[in-house]
Amino acid sequence: MLKKDEIYEIQVVDMGHKGEAIGKVDGFTVFVDGAVKGDIVKGRITLSKKSYATAELVEIVTPSQDRVTPKCKLSGICGGCQIMHMDYNKQLEMKQDQIKQNLSRIGKIESPNLLPIIGMENPYNYRNKAQFPLEVDSKGNLQIGFYKKFSHDVIPFDTCHIQDPINDKILNIVKQYIRKNDITIYDEKTNSGNIKRIVTKVGFKTGEVMVVVVTKSKILPKNDQLVSMLKKEIPGLKTVVQNINPKQTNVILGEKNFVLFGNGTITDKLHDLVFEISPNSFYQVNPVQTDVLYSKALEFADIDNTKTVVDVYCGIGTISLFLAQKAKKVIGVEVLEQSIEDAKRNAKINKLNNAEFLCGKAEEVLPKLYEDGVRADVVVVDPPRKGCEEIVLKTIAEMNVEKIIYVSCNPSTLARDIEILSHHGYKMEKGQGVDMFPHSMHVEAIILMTRSGSGEKK
Ligand code: SAH
């Protein structure tokens, strides 16, 4: 066992899936936050267990060839990005490897046909959505920024290199408004105060801006002042919304929205399609890579106007409408009512009347569709991190679809579900990672599965 508070020289041999460096001291495993594979560092032991230890980085003795100077001076402090200190091509290699490992180990595919991950040409300023926490610090100063790593302390910033720079201006205006009017800031420890978060969304192609002020109370004093300040300074401002979230919870947005300015939505474009986006609905955060990902979905689906597609976990209908341009019919299934409303409106806006949207849990709606005799040629699933319920996978197999396209933001549940589908007679044809989240450890992948013909059917 290593001694707590002692400093050791650590050889970093690998990276864990949360971006933590995995190091060795005489063969003993030590996790070092902020180090990179290939580094030799000095680390002070913060936790010493029988089988492993954790250490804080004290000094870099020999830097790894993969190490770069991060663009952001808060890298390593802020909880937003985990690997900005790693060369971007190495980040991609690591993510490619992570997908492959999961497919092999959990998915039990010996040598998966994984095409090279698609990275970004310019992996900065890519996010179209931000959620800023606020805090009054111990000196009584108002801070708006991001959470410090592993904590709920807010650290302010001048500019965030993965966000749209318009956010810097918006936050300055919000600060002025709060100070001028003595608006209270919510304190999660005491469950008191009013403003909880500032959420912004920006239409990448349209430049339209949405500002959402999340409050505990129904009242946001002098909100007309905030609106007029934002209108004056933010050229693309399209809407300002007050979202009310009275609950003491980690969930950021509440269910109720009061529109303070505009119509409560912004629009954005993906290829030729226009999408309306509401405060609560899910919309991919990296529009450049979303284009790439959805084009892959279209390529993998390889459909014509004789095919019926079911898009499960469809959000505001983005993938559904992409495919509706080619398919005979698309049915989207989604649990969030506001997203379904957006999806229906988006179908109308884009004059795609071959898309139908159903609100409900996939695990309930899909079996019902099957019972009602609905069949599909292609099914797309794009579930949240926890993956698909087994009944969803079973029903897709029962529908006897030709192709399954699995879009996933979590390689381990993806691999688990692929393994389940293999018992239902489907095999992975090919797959590809698309880097939607540069400098973070998040990994997105798209997989095509087809009926293998020989597989056992349950
Ligand atoms: N395909 C969409 C959305 C993917 S995110 C896009 O690319 O934009 C996953 C979506 O699944 C979210 O919209 C979420 O609201 C929805 N969801 C989560 N659990 C669900 C469930 N049990 N049944 C149906 N939809 C669900």
Side-chain angles (χ1 to χ4, degrees):
M1 258 169 77
L2 302 182
K3 273 198 196 132
K4 191 162 183 280
D5 297 326
E6 286 279 293
I7 293 176
Y8 291 87
E9 190 165 287
I10 306 164
Q11 190 122 24
V12 181
V13 292
D14 208 350
M15 300 294 285
H17 70 279
K18 285 186 184 144
E20 71 282 24
I22 304 172
K24 295 281 175 190
V25 174
D26 294 331
F28 189 82
T29 301
V30 187
F31 297 99
V32 203
D33 195 47
V36 171
K37 184 178 171 181
D39 275 344
I40 298 173
V41 300
K42 280 191 179 157
R44 182 181 291 110
I45 303 299
T46 47
L47 177 80
S48 178
K49 294 264 184 192
K50 253 190 206 150
S51 56
Y52 73 94
T54 62
E56 64 178 2
L57 184 62
V58 174
E59 185 193 328
I60 299 164
V61 181
T62 316
S64 160
Q65 282 185 349
D66 302 351
R67 183 177 271 284
V68 292
T69 306
K71 214 169 176 174
C72 177
K73 56 178 192 263
L74 292 175
S75 166
I77 301 167
C78 171
C81 298
Q82 297 87 45
I83 47 171
M84 205 181 234
H85 55 305
M86 197 172 175
D87 177 71
Y88 185 55
N89 284 321
K90 291 289 168 189
Q91 293 182 21
L92 293 175
E93 257 177 45
M94 183 172 72
K95 291 183 185 186
Q96 173 86 1
D97 197 50
Q98 203 183 321
I99 303 168
K100 206 170 188 168
Q101 294 279 344
N102 276 286
L103 290 172
S104 308
R105 269 196 233 138
I106 304 172
K108 308 212 172 70
I109 306 170
E110 215 169 280
S111 43
N113 179 16
L114 196 62
L115 303 165
I117 186 167
I118 307 171
M120 292 189 82
E121 220 163 275
N122 172 23
Y124 295 98
N125 302 111
Y126 61 83
R127 282 189 65 103
N128 57 14
K129 176 185 162 189
Q131 309 184 122
F132 301 103
L134 306 89
E135 181 189 76
V136 177
D137 68 16
S138 52
K139 290 184 191 128
N141 295 320
L142 167 66
Q143 307 289 8
I144 310 183
F146 289 111
Y147 282 140
K148 202 173 164 181
K149 241 181 190 177
F150 315 124
S151 89
H152 273 198
D153 295 340
V154 175
I155 32 167
F157 61 88
D158 299 328
T159 191
C160 169
H161 293 278
I162 63 165
Q163 293 288 352
D164 193 307
I166 195 77
N167 283 304
D168 309 345
K169 239 177 166 178
I170 294 172
L171 294 188
N172 271 331
I173 294 166
V174 172
K175 265 188 202 160
Q176 281 175 39
Y177 156 75
I178 291 173
R179 284 192 191 125
K180 214 164 135 190
N181 297 293
D182 282 330
I183 312 287
T184 56
I185 303 303
Y186 179 74
D187 179 348
E188 60 184 1
K189 288 183 204 108
T190 56
N191 193 26
S192 61
N194 198 8
I195 297 191
K196 289 179 143 183
R197 295 264 178 158
I198 304 299
V199 177
T200 63
K201 296 191 182 190
V202 183
F204 180 74
K205 293 228 177 96
T206 58
E208 294 181 3
V209 176
M210 171 190 288
V211 178
V212 183
V213 184
V214 185
T215 59
K216 183 187 174 203
S217 132
K218 278 185 193 153
I219 295 156
L220 180 62
K222 307 259 175 69
N223 59 56
D224 51 330
Q225 235 182 62
L226 174 66
V227 170
S228 64
M229 283 159 86
L230 286 167
K231 265 164 85 176
K232 210 157 102 198
E233 305 272 341
I234 309 295
L237 188 78
K238 180 86 186 305
T239 193
V240 182
V241 177
Q242 180 192 352
N243 174 276
I244 298 143
N245 189 358
K247 289 187 195 152
Q248 200 171 7
T249 158
N250 273 339
V251 179
I252 292 172
L253 292 175
E255 283 159 22
K256 272 216 176 91
N257 290 310
F258 284 153
V259 176
L260 305 177
F261 167 64
N263 73 353
T265 67
I266 54 165
T267 56
D268 197 17
K269 274 186 178 168
L270 288 169
H271 273 281
D272 299 331
L273 298 177
V274 179
F275 291 97
E276 263 191 24
I277 304 154
S278 308
N280 299 62
S281 53
F282 177 89
Y283 185 67
Q284 295 281 2
V285 297
N286 182 334
V288 174
Q289 294 298 82
T290 302
D291 248 359
V292 175
L293 182 72
Y294 292 174
S295 302
K296 273 282 150 203
L298 203 54
E299 181 195 318
F300 283 6
D302 188 26
I303 42 171
D304 57 34
N305 60 9
T306 63
K307 306 289 185 193
T308 298
V309 181
V310 177
D311 178 17
V312 194
Y313 313 94
C314 70
I316 61 168
T318 39
I319 300 180
S320 318
L321 296 182
F322 243 63
L323 297 179
Q325 297 176 99
K326 293 266 169 78
K328 179 175 146 203
K329 187 178 176 169
V330 178
I331 303 167
V333 180
E334 159 67 43
V335 73
L336 251 184
E337 201 155 325
Q338 201 177 79
S339 293
I340 283 290
E341 276 167 29
D342 285 349
K344 286 181 179 164
R345 225 178 27 251
N346 287 328
K348 269 204 195 118
I349 296 170
N350 292 291
K351 300 193 174 61
L352 289 162
N353 48 24
N354 58 340
E356 186 188 325
F357 292 97
L358 305 172
C359 188
K361 288 182 182 159
E363 54 275 27
E364 288 165 12
V365 175
L366 214 58
K368 176 92 183 28
L369 282 176
Y370 177 67
E371 247 172 54
D372 292 347
V374 175
R375 297 292 178 267
D377 302 291
V378 176
V379 169
V380 179
V381 293
D382 183 4
R385 289 188 63 77
K386 67 175 190 210
C388 297
E389 299 280 333
E390 202 158 339
I391 182 79
V392 171
L393 303 172
K394 188 169 163 263
T395 310
I396 293 170
E398 276 168 356
M399 281 186 170
N400 202 17
V401 303
E402 289 164 25
K403 289 178 189 154
I404 301 170
I405 293 165
Y406 198 131
V407 180
S408 159
C409 58
N410 183 350
S412 67
T413 54
L414 166 73
R416 178 202 67 198
D417 290 351
I418 282 183
E419 208 268 327
I420 294 171
L421 283 167
S422 76
H423 294 296
H424 290 289
Y426 286 87
K427 79 166 200 297
M428 177 182 156
E429 283 293 322
K430 57 182 171 183
Q432 194 155 28
V434 177
D435 191 24
M436 306 287 276
F437 315 101
H439 313 298
S440 89
M441 284 303 289
H442 292 287
V443 182
E444 188 92 9
I446 178 166
I447 303 287
L448 170 66
M449 297 190 84
T450 55
R451 279 219 84 92
S452 61
S454 58
E456 44 178 307
K457 245 183 112 181
K458 270 189 185 164

